[in-house]
Amino acid sequence: MILSGRGVSAVLGPTNTGKTHFAIERMVAHGSGIIGLPLRLLAREVYTRVVERVGAQNVALVTGEEKISPPKARFSVCTVEAMPRETKAAFVAIDEIQLAGDLERGHIFTDRLLHLRGREETLLLGSATMKSILIQLLPGITIVERPRLSQLFYAGQKKITRLPQRTAIVAFSAEEVYAIAELIRRQRGGAAVVLGALSPRTRNAQVGLYQEGDVEYLVATDAIGMGLNLDVDHVAFAQDRKFDGYQFRNLNPGELGQIAGRAGRHIKDGTFGVTGRVAPFDEELVERLQTHQFDSVKVLQWRTEKFDFSSIAGLQRSLDAVPRVEGLTRALPATDQQALEYLSRYPEIADITDRPERVEKLWEACALPDYRRITPAQHADLIQSLYFDLVRRGTVNEDFLAEQVRRSDRTDGEIDTLSARIAQIRTWTYVSNRPGWLADPTHWQEKTREIEDRLSDALHERLTKRFVDRRTSVLMKRLRENAMLEAEISVNGDVFVEGHAMGQLAGFRFTPISGMEGPDAKAVQAAAYKALALEFEARAARLHASGNNDLAIGSDGLVRWLGDPVARLIGTDHILHPRVILLADEQLTGMARDHVAARIERFVNHHISTVLKPLDDLSRAEDLQGLAKGLAFQLVENLGVLFRRDVADDVKTLDQDGRASMRRYGVRFGAYHIFMPALLKPAPAELITLLWALKHDGLDKPGYGDLIPVLAAGRTSVVTDPSYERMFYKLAGFRFLGKRAVRIDILERLADLIRPLLQWKPGSPARPDGAYDGRRFTTTTAMLSILGATPDDMEEILKGLGYRADSVSAEEAAAFLAAQTGSTPTEAAAAEKSEDDSVDDADQAGETASEGEAPAAVAEEQPAAAAEDAASAEQPAESTEPKPVLLWRPGGRSDNQRGTGRPGGDRRPQGQRNAAPREGGEAGGEKRGEGRRDDRRSDNRGERRDDNRGKFAGKGDRQDRGDRKDRGPRPERDNNKSQPARFEAKPPRKEKPLDPDSPFAKLAALKEQLKK
């Protein structure tokens, strides 16, 4: 390759040196000429300027999607891609030749500047960075360097809202351009938008908004760096990284200088800087941009101009050729070469492309630009369809073309939709302008151009509507004129200044529109706050006179008035009296602020004392004395629930009068808990959970508020979530028992069912369902029903309550029961099996069967959801062997000493030993730090010491009656049946007067009436 620069001139220099204007003047001085430009936007602008000089009949415009060709046109304005490879024109000019180093399009610029020449003059225009490479590649070339007409200065970093007027803000993605334009619309009235993907018509309309002064800001991509002549005083970089077709990379100093140079026109100086998330430029970069000192271009992108059309493989080999001249490098595969690579793999393409002219036609089809930015495979499929039509029919199928054009011919939709349709129609505009591709190209050129213009107008209208606010423009103008601004507040709390929405008033807090900054925004806000001052006083008066129904406390700790937050609660040392923090701007002052604060505090105190009335009354009780008062204090501190084992000594010492006085306040002494049943409802439980969370920073802890809906649904038990804060179960009225949590009052009903089973004495008639030997029991249908649990869940629950199980075979259990009841083993086994089957059936079908008081409890408390929960639980796999029978007994001290503390160890068979050995850890399902105690402190053990009776002595506080007969053998002695039971004589307990308010007194009175 022997290249020559003879007859070629290169006019080099920074932006604003008049290079393009010089090229136009030189071209019109010749009889004919061609000028190539990098962008169709710039080509349209130069075309307009040339038409003004020589008339439209003498100028042609040729781009990939547009062709204006007057019959006698002497001058042609083209994009570089649309320039012919050879010409007879007297003058040839190529603008922005530094793009020859671009990875995506560089090879096209390289080809034109190396090979395309004018008969009389060839002019190359571009950056001074091309000087050395041009001298190397084109020996004999004439270099003319032009200085910049104005100076460029660095203005540092500024926020977008503080940029001066007549600023161009540069970003490198449509999303970022739109986001910046939206921000400017809210702050400064609007901005024009310029992107390379816009049609020339839309771009010109947007530039017109800026040039005519309707908006003072322009948001654009680097398209403005390619010679667009705009009245820009300042260029601000909102991004300094872009995607170059292959990767995201930082812009080099030369590219930054090309864009920054758009600031300042002719002899007017300009400034540049950064904004947004771009770090300030360092001193070295600033110096280079101000003095236009950039690294020289070292190599140009090159692709062969000699294509081998003998076959597809030959064409591919020619495209892979490397340059033999230093300073050139083989370009990466462009869109057309990528499409060829895909198509070459299609067998049908290989079959039909069997001669050179068809290979050339395939390469021509591959030149179709990918305006839609779809995947290479999809783009190749479109090219394949066009190519098959060209080969088989000679032209593109116009029915197919008409359908594609029809789909694009719609002006509804938003910006992205219209942009996609414009990209679609541009594809068919390109097809219609390809010579020989259509039977009636003129019709389709006019049709596609008409649709593109219509879409462009619609897109301009949408862009203007979205990014230009006429009212804001007027508002800013009035601010500059120091005019008085009028503000008003709507009934919905929207604040308007001069008819422009400035923010929202919620309660006593004004929230301006996001992003409002700068001196103009401060002036507008001052006008808004002036109107708010009077509104705050009026609202304060309305709140002070409002009823309690207008106020509410949310689960987030906010106090709301008519839906708007007006205060926030924070925890204090006294959990029932949280502190109220007013949520109000400083415009609420003086007596108005005091009245609001006092009214909200009254409401909060009234709400807590009403919803938690039993707890509030107990905290204020003055008739409680001694241990009762101390126990009441602990109950209030624990928000209405105490584990009985934790206060076993106090309960044991508390006399009947003390218990009666506490019962009058709604306190119930259960077998496992001391609690207030009235608080086990959704509203009190929700408020209790909130108060605890406020004091312990629990609003963000997992599980907060999630258990209240479960309680409201009437669920008696629920599967536990290990990620939840365990305290939330207790606050919602549930006892955490391993894998399942059970409502506290339901556990007390469970104790009522267990108690008669442990009181029954072997040999007595009418053995209760589930009773075994007076010391142990089996689970029953009634127990499963009220808990909504499966047998497996039941084991977990009973272990959590401190019970321990002995496992015996079904035959042994049947034999034992037969001996107790006097029936045959076969009958006892049948009865036992029937009992087991009924438990299984109730578990699987969710039936609710019980005895004594159980049916009423079941009908009241067991909802369908609990039955479904039980039925959906995992069922154990069927086994051929009969299931062992679990005999439950209260856990005791001896459980920790089995096998070591007894003489001779445990002599029972292996299968009958304790099925659930006591583990140190979370006894009763409580936290390790709270419930880690020896079995001697278990619920049952502790309660047995209560008044020398036990929690199994009678229902609730039945142990207070002093009736000690029929107690049966001690559970800890049940393993050595050969020894007779021993009894210790103790002095009789002093009888106490019966509490007239106790349920036992009422029961006795009822019996007396029945006797009469």
Side-chain angles (χ1 to χ4, degrees):
M1 295 174 60
I2 302 176
L3 305 174
S4 173
R6 185 171 299 178
V8 180
S9 298
V11 180
L12 307 178
T15 56
N16 193 22
T17 56
K19 296 187 296 294
T20 305
H21 177 75
F22 174 75
I24 294 173
E25 293 295 325
R26 294 300 304 155
M27 183 172 70
V28 298
H30 290 272
S32 62
I34 297 175
I35 183 169
L37 300 153
L39 299 173
R40 62 195 183 96
L41 302 178
L42 187 54
R44 170 62 81 161
E45 179 181 331
V46 171
Y47 168 76
T48 303
R49 293 170 62 182
V50 176
V51 166
E52 292 173 354
R53 294 290 305 276
V54 299
Q57 73 279 7
N58 293 316
V59 186
L61 174 64
V62 182
T63 67
E65 310 130 60
E66 187 175 17
K67 183 178 293 184
I68 302 174
S69 300
K72 297 182 180 180
R74 297 183 294 118
F75 306 102
S76 296
V77 180
C78 312
T79 55
V80 172
E81 285 84 351
M83 295 181 77
R85 290 186 175 276
E86 297 179 356
T87 181
K88 295 180 180 180
F91 175 86
V92 169
I94 304 172
D95 197 8
E96 306 293 354
I97 60 171
Q98 70 273 7
L99 287 178
D102 183 73
L103 294 177
E104 187 174 2
R105 304 171 60 204
H107 65 90
I108 300 174
F109 283 80
T110 301
D111 178 73
R112 302 301 187 268
L113 69 87
L114 291 181
H115 302 292
L116 188 60
R117 298 289 182 264
R119 288 186 293 104
E120 300 174 3
E121 182 179 1
T122 301
L123 200 61
L124 305 179
L125 313 173
S127 170
T129 59
M130 291 290 291
K131 179 178 179 180
S132 60
I133 193 69
L134 289 177
I135 292 175
Q136 176 185 340
L137 292 174
L138 300 175
I141 189 172
T142 301
I143 302 293
V144 178
E145 296 189 68
R146 296 171 66 96
R148 182 178 168 90
L149 300 177
S150 61
Q151 291 184 308
L152 197 61
F153 299 99
Y154 179 60
Q157 186 182 47
K158 293 182 180 179
K159 292 183 178 180
I160 291 178
T161 54
R162 295 185 179 180
L163 292 173
Q165 295 179 354
R166 312 310 294 173
T167 290
I169 305 168
V170 181
F172 299 102
S173 68
E175 293 79 6
E176 189 71 13
V177 167
Y178 291 158
I180 294 171
E182 177 68 26
L183 176 61
I184 295 177
R185 182 195 69 82
R186 295 196 303 265
Q187 304 300 316
R188 298 299 185 90
V193 173
V194 173
L195 298 92
L198 295 180
S199 65
R201 188 181 183 92
T202 304
R203 192 273 307 178
N204 289 339
Q206 287 290 301
V207 169
L209 287 176
Y210 176 78
Q211 292 291 83
E212 293 168 10
D214 289 345
V215 294
E216 298 292 340
Y217 298 90
L218 177 71
V219 187
T221 61
D222 53 351
I224 67 169
M226 295 299 165
L228 293 183
N229 296 311
L230 301 170
D231 296 330
V232 175
D233 294 339
H234 179 76
V235 171
F237 290 91
Q239 289 180 314
D240 59 356
R241 290 175 59 83
K242 77 170 188 175
F243 184 74
D244 61 6
Y246 298 93
Q247 62 180 351
F248 283 96
R249 62 174 178 82
N250 292 328
L251 273 71
N252 59 51
E255 292 169 325
L256 292 172
Q258 185 73 23
I259 299 171
R262 293 299 109 190
R265 300 306 304 164
H266 302 294
I267 60 174
K268 184 178 181 180
D269 295 338
T271 58
F272 67 94
V274 297
T275 187
R277 297 180 295 272
V278 180
F281 293 159
D282 56 52
E283 294 182 2
E284 180 184 357
L285 178 58
V286 170
E287 178 68 19
R288 297 180 67 178
L289 294 177
Q290 291 183 157
T291 59
H292 317 294
Q293 301 296 321
F294 307 115
D295 296 335
S296 297
V297 176
K298 298 295 190 297
V299 293
L300 304 184
Q301 300 296 315
W302 176 88
R303 189 169 73 181
T304 183
E305 77 283 1
K306 297 178 180 179
F307 301 110
D308 180 5
F309 294 123
S310 61
S311 66
I312 295 178
L315 177 59
Q316 290 176 314
R317 284 194 300 271
S318 63
L319 289 170
D320 291 335
V322 296
R324 292 172 291 173
V325 175
E326 186 178 356
L328 302 179
T329 183
R330 183 167 65 89
L332 295 172
T335 304
D336 52 2
Q337 189 174 349
Q338 292 176 9
L340 179 65
E341 291 291 338
Y342 271 94
L343 293 172
S344 66
R345 304 170 192 165
Y346 297 174
E348 55 270 27
I349 292 291
D351 293 341
I352 199 173
T353 312
D354 55 356
R355 57 188 74 125
E357 57 269 21
R358 290 189 175 181
V359 176
E360 185 174 1
K361 182 64 70 175
L362 177 61
W363 180 239
E364 182 183 350
C366 289
L368 178 70
D370 183 14
Y371 296 113
R372 296 175 296 168
R373 300 295 180 184
I374 55 180
T375 63
Q378 291 176 310
H379 186 57
D381 290 341
L382 175 60
I383 294 174
Q384 179 188 23
S385 300
L386 298 177
Y387 173 65
F388 281 162
D389 283 348
L390 292 173
V391 171
R392 294 169 178 170
R393 304 165 57 98
T395 58
V396 175
N397 185 344
E398 294 198 3
D399 291 337
F400 172 73
L401 176 63
E403 175 62 21
Q404 300 301 317
V405 170
R406 184 190 63 79
R407 292 181 181 179
S408 302
D409 190 11
R410 292 174 54 190
T411 57
D412 59 315
E414 295 303 319
I415 292 174
D416 292 340
T417 304
L418 292 172
S419 298
R421 291 190 189 131
I422 289 177
Q424 178 81 8
I425 200 64
R426 286 176 67 186
T427 300
W428 305 112
T429 302
Y430 178 90
V431 170
S432 66
N433 280 278
R434 296 302 297 166
W437 278 28
L438 297 177
D440 186 6
T442 304
H443 166 74
W444 291 109
Q445 288 170 9
E446 293 175 354
K447 181 72 172 178
T448 54
R449 175 57 54 200
E450 177 189 352
I451 295 174
E452 183 175 341
D453 288 347
R454 190 160 53 249
L455 290 171
S456 298
D457 292 341
L459 180 58
H460 169 67
E461 185 268 333
R462 301 293 196 285
L463 289 170
T464 303
K465 182 178 180 180
R466 178 172 174 180
F467 300 125
V468 178
D469 191 329
R470 301 291 184 181
R471 290 180 303 171
T472 306
S473 299
V474 173
L475 176 62
M476 297 307 163
K477 184 177 180 180
R478 293 201 63 185
L479 282 172
R480 291 192 292 270
E481 295 171 354
N482 293 323
M484 294 295 294
L485 301 179
E486 296 183 2
E488 58 180 343
I489 303 171
S490 71
V491 293
N492 297 326
D494 296 317
V495 180
F496 297 90
V497 175
E498 294 290 334
H500 181 65
M502 300 306 300
Q504 177 75 27
L505 179 62
F508 297 95
R509 279 192 167 179
F510 173 64
T511 304
I513 292 177
S514 60
M516 288 194 60
E517 297 179 1
D520 292 343
K522 291 181 179 179
V524 174
Q525 290 179 9
Y529 282 128
K530 184 176 180 181
L532 290 175
L534 297 176
E535 177 66 14
F536 278 176
E537 292 186 5
R539 289 194 173 200
R542 293 199 300 271
L543 173 59
H544 185 65
S546 64
N548 288 331
N549 291 335
D550 294 337
L551 293 159
I553 298 177
S555 59
D556 52 1
L558 294 178
V559 181
R560 286 178 166 81
W561 174 52
L562 299 177
D564 293 332
V566 293
R568 175 168 52 87
L569 302 181
I570 61 174
T572 62
D573 292 338
H574 198 307
I575 198 167
L576 294 181
H577 295 89
R579 183 183 175 190
V580 177
I581 304 297
L582 200 61
L583 301 179
D585 291 336
E586 58 185 12
Q587 282 72 25
L588 182 65
T589 58
M591 293 296 294
R593 192 180 189 94
D594 295 340
H595 286 161
V596 169
R599 178 67 186 93
I600 295 175
E601 287 182 2
R602 286 202 309 274
F603 163 74
V604 171
N605 293 333
H606 174 268
H607 181 75
I608 294 175
S609 62
T610 301
V611 177
L612 304 182
K613 186 177 188 304
L615 206 60
D616 184 66
D617 292 345
L618 187 63
S619 67
R620 302 172 185 272
E622 297 181 357
D623 57 340
L624 299 179
Q625 303 295 329
L627 280 176
K629 188 171 185 178
L631 198 59
F633 176 79
Q634 293 186 61
L635 198 58
V636 172
E637 286 294 305
N638 286 272
L639 298 172
V641 176
L642 284 172
F643 295 118
R644 182 156 183 162
R645 68 170 184 219
D646 294 339
V647 290
D649 293 338
D650 294 340
V651 174
K652 176 181 177 180
T653 311
L654 187 64
D655 58 19
Q656 286 288 350
D657 292 337
R659 296 180 188 226
S661 62
M662 293 190 69
R663 285 197 196 94
R664 285 194 290 271
Y665 287 98
V667 179
R668 177 180 173 186
F669 292 83
Y672 309 122
H673 310 88
I674 313 298
F675 67 106
M676 307 184 79
L679 300 180
L680 302 182
K681 296 179 180 180
E686 183 177 18
L687 184 55
I688 284 172
T689 303
L690 171 63
L691 294 176
W692 182 89
L694 291 175
K695 184 175 181 180
H696 298 89
D697 296 326
L699 292 177
D700 296 327
K701 292 183 177 180
Y704 172 72
D706 292 337
L707 295 171
I708 304 303
V710 176
L711 183 64
R715 300 289 293 273
T716 58
S717 67
V718 63
V719 177
T720 57
D721 189 327
S723 65
Y724 285 4
E725 166 65 39
R726 192 170 296 180
M727 187 63 181
F728 290 145
Y729 286 98
K730 180 181 177 183
L731 297 171
F734 288 88
R735 175 75 173 264
F736 188 95
L737 297 171
K739 297 180 181 179
R740 204 162 190 88
V742 185
R743 228 168 59 192
I744 288 173
D745 54 343
I746 298 301
L747 286 178
E748 298 303 333
R749 294 192 177 189
L750 175 63
D752 294 342
L753 295 178
I754 294 175
R755 189 176 296 110
L757 307 185
L758 295 176
Q759 287 180 332
W760 177 77
K761 295 178 62 177
S764 299
R767 179 180 69 89
D769 184 20
Y772 189 73
D773 57 4
R775 295 164 294 138
R776 294 175 291 183
F777 65 92
T778 61
T779 56
T780 66
T781 305
M783 298 178 190
L784 296 175
S785 298
I786 65 170
L787 295 174
T790 66
D792 290 340
D793 295 331
M794 195 68 186
E795 289 186 34
E796 188 85 16
I797 291 170
L798 290 174
K799 290 176 186 177
L801 291 173
Y803 292 94
R804 295 296 174 262
D806 298 326
S807 177
V808 300
S809 65
E811 293 78 3
E812 184 178 350
F816 179 82
L817 291 176
Q820 296 294 334
T821 59
S823 61
T824 65
T826 303
E827 293 173 344
E832 185 68 23
K833 183 178 187 305
S834 175
E835 180 179 320
D836 291 342
D837 290 344
S838 66
V839 172
D840 291 339
D841 292 342
D843 167 47
Q844 295 173 5
E847 297 172 355
T848 54
S850 59
E851 58 185 18
E853 295 180 76
V858 172
E860 240 177 69
E861 300 293 343
Q862 179 64 16
E868 292 173 4
D869 189 24
S872 63
E874 184 179 357
Q875 298 295 328
E878 295 183 2
S879 175
T880 56
E881 299 180 2
K883 297 179 182 179
V885 177
L886 295 182
L887 303 178
W888 294 93
R889 55 181 173 74
R893 183 193 306 262
S894 60
D895 289 325
N896 290 335
Q897 302 170 352
R898 290 193 178 277
T900 57
R902 299 172 59 85
D906 190 350
R907 295 187 176 89
R908 294 175 301 148
Q910 180 67 25
Q912 298 180 21
R913 294 182 185 175
N914 187 5
R918 185 71 166 181
E919 297 178 1
E922 301 187 21
E926 302 310 312
K927 289 185 179 179
R928 292 182 181 274
E930 174 185 335
R932 192 182 184 94
R933 292 179 174 86
D934 188 84
D935 289 334
R936 289 170 291 185
R937 296 282 296 170
S938 67
D939 288 331
N940 308 293
R941 188 68 175 168
E943 293 302 326
R944 275 198 299 276
R945 294 196 299 268
D946 182 12
D947 291 341
N948 295 324
R949 288 284 293 167
K951 65 181 180 182
F952 307 109
K955 180 177 180 181
D957 290 299
R958 204 173 293 169
Q959 57 267 38
D960 297 332
R961 292 162 55 190
D963 185 3
R964 297 180 52 83
K965 64 181 180 179
D966 296 336
R967 186 175 184 184
R970 293 178 180 270
E972 55 267 33
R973 298 177 184 174
D974 62 350
N975 292 318
N976 194 346
K977 301 178 182 178
S978 60
Q979 297 180 1
R982 292 177 294 177
F983 299 91
E984 296 180 6
K986 293 185 179 180
R989 191 173 64 179
K990 182 179 180 181
E991 293 292 339
K992 298 180 181 179
L994 192 64
D995 182 6
D997 293 327
S998 73
F1000 310 110
K1002 295 179 181 179
L1003 182 61
L1006 181 59
K1007 288 182 178 179
E1008 291 297 327
Q1009 292 179 5
L1010 291 176
K1011 290 179 180 179
K1012 294 179 182 180

